[in-house]
Amino acid sequence: MPSLISLGLLLLAQTADPWPRVLSSVGVEHAVTVLRPGAELPPGLMDRVEAGAFVIVEGSSPAAAALGFREREERVRVASVEDLRRPKLRIVWERTLDLPRFDVPADAQIFARERWSKAPLMAGFRKGAGAILWVAASPGGRGYERFPYILHALSDLGLEAPFRSARLWAFFDYSYRPRVDLEYFAKRWREAGIGALHVAAWHFHESDPERDAYLRRLIEAAHNHGILVYAWLELPHVSEAFWNAHPEWREKTAVLQDAHLDWRKLMNLTNRDCFRVASAGVSNLLLRFDWDGVNLAELYFESLEGADNPARFTPMNNDVRALFREQAGFDPIELFGNRRDPAALRQFLDFRAGLARRMQEEWMDEIARIRKQRPNFDLALTHVDDRLDTDMRDAIGADAARVLPLLDREDFTFMIEDPATVWHLGPERYSEIARRYQPLTPHTDKLAIDINIVERYQDVYPTKQQTGSELLQLVHMAARAFHRVALYFENSILPPDWKLLPASAAVLDRVERQGAELLISSPRGIGVQWRGGVLVNGKPWPVRNDTTVWLPAGEFRLTPAPESKLPRVLDFNGDLIAAAYTENGIELEYSSSSRALAVLEGRVLLLPRGQHRTKIPF
């Protein structure tokens, strides 16, 4: 795909100075000084470090030597790195470097080293309220090619990210967490900035006492910690039991085999009997539990190779073939036999894309019917991107231009999924994807992006799966480009990344300190690290906890104040518009596409969907 390759080269273009990219991804670019190779030690630097400054020293320099990072004559060829926080993670550089071996101060903590010689490559030490971090080489043009965990090392040395978001969505699969402490994980998810969990609902399609009890505990734990819970559906996969019970309704591939593709077992939802039974089961599933919404995900066909791979190409069931034969006058299965007719194939691929669009609208109508009983239900439609990789439409029948007009009359979130073909491209692809969707709908506030955190099949460096600085840049760029960011999936996020995720999702337009005051402007709302009492625009502010002040979108001035004993909303899961103390309570104005959750001392309020002004009495 030449166009995609050239776009990839554009997106991955290196910059002259990678450090702003690294540091800005978690909002600490103004808090860290970087000394480049050859730099002298600035006068008074260590006094500033003692007072709380953080300094990165890159490579060899008089400054590095003065701080105890001295090069030897011995050289080390570096191609593979061992990070001591995750020693088994395979970190490989695309281009090897010949570097001097360095001695480091005795009191320095070594964070990373060359895998075989154990030569130090990243080390640091604390000094008073600040710290020094040394790296043996540049982090690379994109900021993540060599040392995934630079930001994590700064965090270990005491640097705190000043801003955070709590708006992330994440996918959750029961099969990876069947026996975990759900209260522990719910607390961990919320601390990582996750506002909604999209739970693989096909595991619960058929009622089972043990699994049903598990799901109810999961939803309760999530709500207790301010997290919404969505039913994540992967139709035409219904469930394992549904597949086993109805072999007559199984989807077929172009070689007329049952469509068991990867983990999904696809059903023929074009068949009206199959659709009726499946929709009744989905309705029962959605009404049986206290969901906050539903996600219709990947509701189209297979496969990524399109018609070039008949063994994975769907739909080729009898109902679809008969429907197409009535319209076109020939059986589409002939396209995979002796009929090699590009015009005929184009006719079927267009028919297939239209069929996918009708299937999506039909299931959205089913959810609308359920919403009459559950008016607080939110709806998301996860749809693979076909604007950046334009081959997706023919490959799987996904056509965003056909679906997005539904936003004119339906209330849902259109979540754009990275196709696997672009997983190796850089973080800048999200602003490019957003740009390509803007002409398709005026409802850009209803567009979301889904980041796949997985092992990639392409040759990628320095890690097969996104982690560290690469992941944080991906999330940060995505959060700047889209109203909502989702992560696939919570189990694949590596442990070192949890702490910095909420900082990477924070988006600000302006930050300015004026003495003890802080001026903030954010387009989506934000959490500001703050300890002690606070006035927001000159008034006491009720939405905060011991470490974070939660602000709506807009411009605000934060001023230190004596600590108040008034009750507080410790956390709020909705789009906050305004908040204030009244004579005998807290007044909140908010909007939310699902229920909104207000976390108070010892209880959680479930507030209705929509835009409302509500009063919480003392």
Side-chain angles (χ1 to χ4, degrees):
M1 295 177 286
S3 61
L4 189 58
I5 292 172
S6 61
L7 177 62
L9 294 175
L10 170 67
L11 293 177
L12 297 181
Q14 296 189 355
T15 58
D17 186 355
W19 288 110
R21 298 177 61 144
V22 176
L23 300 172
S24 65
S25 67
V26 292
V28 297
E29 63 270 33
H30 302 300
V32 179
T33 299
V34 179
L35 301 179
R36 270 71 175 188
E40 299 285 343
L41 190 69
L45 178 71
M46 295 313 294
D47 291 337
R48 296 200 296 275
V49 172
E50 287 269 6
F54 285 80
V55 178
I56 294 174
V57 182
E58 179 190 324
S60 178
S61 67
L67 294 168
F69 301 95
R70 299 183 178 90
E71 63 176 283
R72 301 183 192 174
E73 291 186 6
E74 178 187 351
R75 309 290 292 185
V76 177
R77 192 137 191 94
V78 183
S80 182
V81 175
E82 177 187 38
D83 192 285
L84 273 66
R85 79 189 58 249
R86 201 165 181 83
K88 294 183 179 179
L89 178 66
R90 193 165 183 262
I91 303 172
V92 178
W93 292 0
E94 184 175 9
R95 295 178 179 85
T96 61
L97 283 184
D98 184 62
L99 297 174
R101 178 187 280 270
F102 283 80
D103 291 320
V104 302
D107 60 345
Q109 178 182 355
I110 295 175
F111 295 106
R113 57 193 183 185
E114 197 280 324
R115 184 167 295 278
W116 311 115
S117 69
K118 307 303 181 186
L121 297 176
M122 180 164 56
F125 59 86
R126 301 190 69 163
K127 188 75 172 177
I132 300 289
L133 178 69
W134 167 84
V135 290
S138 160
R142 284 164 269 160
Y144 55 79
E145 293 95 324
R146 295 187 180 127
F147 304 108
Y149 296 130
I150 288 173
L151 292 166
H152 305 64
L154 285 171
S155 178
D156 289 349
L157 293 171
L159 181 64
E160 295 183 331
F163 309 107
R164 59 187 289 116
S165 170
R167 296 173 43 80
L168 291 168
W169 284 354
F171 290 84
F172 172 89
D173 192 331
Y174 158 83
S175 61
Y176 291 89
R177 305 280 196 203
R179 294 179 180 84
V180 299
D181 183 333
L182 294 172
E183 280 289 332
Y184 165 82
F185 270 92
K187 181 174 184 290
R188 179 189 183 191
W189 292 324
R190 192 57 178 159
E191 289 173 349
I194 292 172
L197 211 61
H198 292 239
V199 174
W202 55 90
H203 295 299
F204 309 95
H205 186 270
E206 289 77 23
S207 184
D208 172 86
E210 184 177 342
R211 288 195 177 187
D212 285 6
Y214 172 98
L215 181 53
R216 291 191 174 95
R217 291 196 307 272
L218 171 63
I219 294 173
E220 181 181 11
H223 285 170
N224 287 342
H225 290 276
I227 300 173
L228 301 164
V229 183
Y230 287 59
W232 163 27
L233 303 177
E234 279 280 346
L235 302 167
H237 174 87
V238 179
S239 72
E240 181 82 15
F242 196 93
W243 171 272
N244 292 333
H246 300 290
E248 73 279 13
W249 294 335
R250 292 176 183 174
E251 184 57 87
K252 299 294 182 182
T253 68
V255 294
L256 300 181
Q257 297 296 313
D258 289 349
H260 179 188
L261 303 174
D262 302 321
W263 65 270
R264 292 211 298 177
K265 297 181 176 180
L266 307 181
M267 304 303 296
N268 170 17
L269 297 176
T270 302
N271 181 281
R272 294 298 83 188
D273 290 334
C274 179
F275 175 82
R276 278 190 291 273
V277 176
S279 62
V282 167
S283 178
N284 176 269
L285 168 66
L286 296 181
L287 295 174
R288 208 163 75 237
F289 301 97
D290 191 21
W291 304 104
D292 298 292
V294 60
N295 184 342
L296 295 172
E298 301 182 309
L299 189 53
Y300 27 73
F301 304 114
E302 298 287 349
S303 68
L304 286 178
E305 300 93 346
D308 290 339
N309 187 350
R312 295 181 63 86
F313 187 86
T314 66
M316 278 292 155
N317 61 74
N318 289 335
D319 297 280
V320 166
R321 289 167 59 191
L323 188 62
F324 181 76
R325 189 187 301 113
E326 287 179 12
Q327 295 185 16
F330 70 93
D331 189 335
I333 201 69
E334 297 172 19
L335 296 168
F336 302 91
N338 296 324
R339 186 172 188 142
R340 301 295 178 179
D341 182 348
L345 177 60
R346 167 53 48 208
Q347 189 176 4
F348 181 69
L349 293 177
D350 290 344
F351 166 85
R352 182 172 174 252
L355 186 64
R357 162 64 169 73
R358 290 194 296 275
M359 185 167 64
Q360 290 157 350
E361 187 171 12
E362 185 172 49
W363 279 98
M364 290 175 70
D365 288 343
E366 286 297 299
I367 302 305
R369 183 178 57 78
I370 295 169
R371 269 175 152 175
K372 292 178 181 178
Q373 299 180 66
R374 295 288 179 87
N376 288 315
F377 249 34
D378 190 17
L379 172 62
L381 181 72
T382 299
H383 190 282
V384 75
D385 168 58
D386 67 315
R387 303 289 107 179
L388 189 58
D389 183 351
T390 54
D391 289 340
M392 281 296 109
R393 181 185 183 276
D394 286 350
I396 60 178
D399 190 345
R402 289 177 182 248
V403 181
L404 284 169
L406 291 173
L407 283 170
D408 294 338
R409 59 180 176 85
E410 301 285 348
D411 183 14
F412 67 99
T413 296
F414 185 86
M415 184 146 58
I416 303 159
E417 179 187 356
D418 261 353
T421 52
V422 304
W423 286 347
H424 62 299
L425 300 184
E428 293 84 355
R429 71 180 182 270
Y430 296 121
S431 57
E432 177 64 19
I433 291 172
R435 185 187 68 80
R436 295 189 181 207
Y437 278 80
Q438 285 173 357
L440 301 182
T441 178
H443 308 286
T444 53
D445 61 319
K446 289 294 185 179
L447 299 182
I449 191 76
D450 170 23
I451 301 176
N452 284 281
I453 305 171
V454 295
E455 287 213 352
R456 295 162 283 185
Y457 69 87
Q458 299 100 336
D459 290 330
V460 288
Y461 301 91
T463 58
K464 289 294 286 183
Q465 178 177 307
Q466 307 93 327
T467 186
S469 291
E470 181 183 10
L471 175 60
L472 298 174
Q473 285 189 42
L474 288 169
V475 173
H476 187 65
M477 293 294 288
R480 294 202 69 86
F482 288 93
H483 187 73
R484 182 77 66 181
V485 176
L487 305 174
Y488 177 82
F489 59 124
E490 61 79 31
N491 182 63
S492 65
I493 301 168
L494 296 183
D497 295 321
W498 284 92
K499 183 179 179 181
L500 291 173
L501 264 184
S504 69
V507 180
L508 291 106
D509 291 331
R510 178 190 178 202
V511 180
E512 183 182 342
R513 290 196 176 274
Q514 295 181 351
E517 292 187 329
L518 185 65
L519 276 65
I520 294 288
S521 175
S522 171
R524 315 215 199 287
I526 200 164
V528 181
Q529 183 189 90
W530 193 277
R531 290 177 175 83
V534 66
L535 299 179
V536 175
N537 292 345
K539 297 180 180 180
W541 187 252
V543 188
R544 63 188 184 93
N545 54 43
D546 292 338
T547 61
T548 306
V549 176
W550 296 106
L551 298 174
E555 296 186 3
F556 299 92
R557 181 185 297 270
L558 281 69
T559 307
E563 185 61 87
S564 168
K565 299 297 184 183
L566 291 173
R568 301 172 293 176
V569 176
L570 303 177
D571 193 1
F572 186 76
N573 193 338
D575 290 329
L576 192 63
I577 298 172
Y581 282 110
T582 62
E583 185 176 349
N584 55 3
I586 297 171
E587 188 173 86
L588 299 178
E589 185 179 355
Y590 72 92
S591 67
S592 182
S593 58
S594 67
R595 290 186 293 197
L597 305 180
V599 180
L600 311 175
E601 293 282 0
R603 63 190 176 116
V604 178
L605 293 181
L606 279 71
L607 302 173
R609 170 179 188 265
Q611 183 167 335
H612 300 277
R613 189 186 297 270
T614 188
K615 189 170 182 179
I616 304 171
F618 291 156

